[in-house]
C-alpha cells in the first residue's frame, strides 16, 4: 500500500496539488472527507468540527486538572477530543489498505508505521496572498495586511498543533521527503512532476 | 540557458547528487573547479582558498576601519576578498551561456538574474553521519559526537556566510524551488527523479 501525505502552508495550493496528485496516480483522496466522518459519527456539524480543529484553542490545553473549569479550556478539550477522533479516522483509512493521498491533519505523524511518502508544500508569501485573493473573489474584501495576518495565524496554529502531538517541527525539511515550492508553477504542470517523483520513491530499492 | 544551483547540508550527498544531475542532463558541472580558477588567478594554493572560504572568520568582518589592524580581521579580510573573487568567477561561468549545475557557493543568490532552478539537499543527522563515516574510511577515526559537531559547525558557517552576503536564510524552504531529503534513497536512483523534475521546471509555461 502506498500512502502520500501532503502538509502545506496555507495558500500554497497544497490541497489542490494533493487532489490532483491523487487523480494522476489513481489513489484515493482524503481531506475534508475525514471531517465529514467525524461529524457524522458524533452528530456534529462538519463546519464546527473543521473550525474547532483549525483553531488555536488547544495550546492552552486543559491538563486534566483544568477540565472541570468552564471557559477557554472547554474549547481546548473539544479540540483535544476531536484530534483523537481524527487520529482514529486516519488510522482506519490506512487500515483499509488502499493507496491514498491524505492532505493535512498530521497524517505523516499518525501513519508513521506505514512509511508514507511525506510531502510539504510551500510558496512565497506574495504567491500565497495572490492565491487567497483569487479564491475569495466575490466574497467580502479583506485588506492585504489582514490576509497576510490570517495566513500567519493559520500556519502558526497548524505548527503548534503538530508540535504538541508529535514533538516534530512543522515544515522542517528533515521531516519530509520532498518540499515543493509552488511559486512560479501552474499546479496542473507541477502535478505530473511530483507524481513522477513519488512513483520513483515507491519503486526505490533502499 | 538553464542553470541549476545545488545548496546542501554537509553530509547530505548534495555534491554527489549535483554531479550526477549534471551527467544525467548533459550539463556542465562546477564545484571545486571554481576554487581552482580563483587559486590559479591569485597564485594561491587551492586548499588554502577552499579552507578560507569555508571558515567562519568573516562574521567578524573588518568593517573598513578595522582593516589596518592585524589579528582576526586579516583572516576576515582574506575571506571577504575571496568571496568577491568567487562571485566574479561564478558570474563569468553564467555569462559563458552554457547549461550548468553549480554546487554551493551561494550561486543561487549570485545568479538570481538568470532565474536558476534552486535545489536544497538535506538528510537526517543519522544519514549524514553515516555518509561522513563511509567517506572517511581509512582516515583517522573521529568520534560520532565530534563528527556531529563538525557537521553542525560547517553548516553554521555556510548559513552565516549566506546571510551576510544575501540577507536570505540558508536552507529556508521559500528560497528554493525544491528541497530534497536524500534519507532513504540511493543517489543513483534519486538522480533521475530530480532530473525529471528539473526538466519539467524548465519546460513550464508560467
Amino acid at each position: 500500500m502506498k500512502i502520500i501525505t501532503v502538509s502545506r502552508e496555507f495558500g500554497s495550493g497544497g490541497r489542490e496539488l494533493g487532489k490532483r496528485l491523487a487523480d494522476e496516480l489513481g489513489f484515493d483522496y482524503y481531506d475534508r472527507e475525514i471531517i465529514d466522518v467525524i461529524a457524522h459519527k458524533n452528530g456534529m456539524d462538519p463546519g464546527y468540527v473543521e473550525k474547532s480543529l483549525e483553531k488555536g484553542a488547544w495550546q492552552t490545553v486543559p491538563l486534566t486538572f483544568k477540565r472541570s473549569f468552564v471557559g477557554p479550556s472547554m474549547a481546548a478539550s473539544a479540540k483535544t477530543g476531536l484530534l483523537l477522533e481524527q487520529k482514529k479516522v486516519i488510522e482506519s483509512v490506512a487500515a483499509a489498505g488502499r493507496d491514498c493521498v491524505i492532505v493535512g491533519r498530521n497524517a505523516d505523524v499518525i501513519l508513521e508505521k506505514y512509511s508514507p511518502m511525506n510531502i510539504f508544500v510551500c510558496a512565497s508569501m506574495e504567491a500565497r496572498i495572490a492565491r487567497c485573493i483569487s479564491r475569495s473573489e466575490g466574497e467580502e474584501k479583506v485588506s492585504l495586511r489582514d490576509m497576510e495576518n490570517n495566513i500567519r495565524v493559520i500556519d502558526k496554529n497548524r505548527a503548534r498543533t503538530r508540535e504538541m502531538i508529535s514533538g516534530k517541527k512543522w515544515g522542517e525539511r528533515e521531516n519530509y521527503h520532498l518540499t515543493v515550492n509552488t511559486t512560479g508553477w501552474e499546479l496542473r504542470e507541477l502535478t505530473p512532476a511530483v507524481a513522477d517523483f513519488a512513483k520513483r520513491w515507491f519503486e526505490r530499492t533502499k
Side-chain angles (χ1 to χ4, degrees), chain A:
Chain A
M1 177 189 35
K2 301 172 186 114
I3 300 178
I4 297 177
T5 72
V6 177
S7 309
R8 77 287 184 216
E9 294 179 341
F10 187 75
S12 65
R15 168 175 289 160
E16 187 182 331
L17 180 65
K19 178 78 183 87
R20 285 175 176 271
L21 209 51
D23 289 345
E24 176 100 13
L25 294 166
F27 284 20
D28 290 349
Y29 172 77
Y30 293 95
D31 174 17
R32 292 214 168 101
E33 292 73 5
I34 291 167
I35 299 286
D36 290 339
V37 173
I38 300 170
H40 184 75
K41 273 175 67 181
N42 296 274
M44 289 167 171
D45 174 67
Y48 167 80
V49 172
E50 184 164 24
K51 280 225 176 74
S52 303
L53 284 168
E54 276 278 358
K55 77 180 154 199
W58 105 298
Q59 59 263 32
T60 63
V61 157
L63 318 207
T64 40
F65 84 94
K66 257 194 176 177
R67 215 170 256 163
S68 50
F69 291 97
V70 287
S73 60
M74 290 273 292
S77 278
K79 180 160 178 175
T80 313
L82 286 171
L83 281 168
L84 288 171
E85 281 287 340
Q86 180 167 265
K87 186 166 181 279
K88 276 190 227 161
V89 174
I90 289 172
E91 281 165 346
S92 69
V93 162
R98 293 169 54 89
D99 296 341
C100 60
V101 174
I102 307 181
V103 172
R105 311 181 193 295
N106 296 297
D108 57 323
V109 175
I110 294 167
L111 300 182
E112 208 170 357
K113 69 170 175 180
Y114 293 94
S115 304
M117 179 188 183
N118 302 317
I119 300 177
F120 191 89
V121 183
C122 68
S124 69
M125 185 52 83
E126 295 70 28
R128 295 161 70 193
I129 291 175
R131 185 176 301 276
C132 290
I133 289 173
S134 74
R135 261 189 214 155
S136 66
E137 260 166 32
E139 289 176 27
E140 213 184 324
K141 283 262 174 284
V142 180
S143 75
L144 285 186
R145 179 188 262 189
D146 284 348
M147 199 166 275
E148 180 167 346
N149 207 33
N150 284 348
I151 290 175
R152 291 195 194 282
V153 168
I154 292 171
D155 279 357
K156 203 169 190 179
N157 284 336
R158 287 180 181 172
R160 279 188 179 156
T161 300
R162 182 187 175 84
E163 281 157 36
M164 295 288 273
I165 71 167
S166 74
K168 281 190 185 178
K169 280 210 171 170
W170 182 81
E172 198 146 87
R173 57 183 179 258
E174 273 82 7
N175 296 333
Y176 306 91
H177 300 107
L178 194 70
T179 301
V180 180
N181 188 335
T182 60
T183 313
W185 280 99
E186 298 285 355
L187 293 181
R188 68 180 158 72
E189 290 181 329
L190 173 57
T191 305
V194 179
D196 286 353
F197 193 101
K199 279 182 206 155
R200 290 181 185 269
W201 168 259
F202 289 114
E203 282 161 11
R204 79 197 191 287
T205 54
K206 194 167 176 178

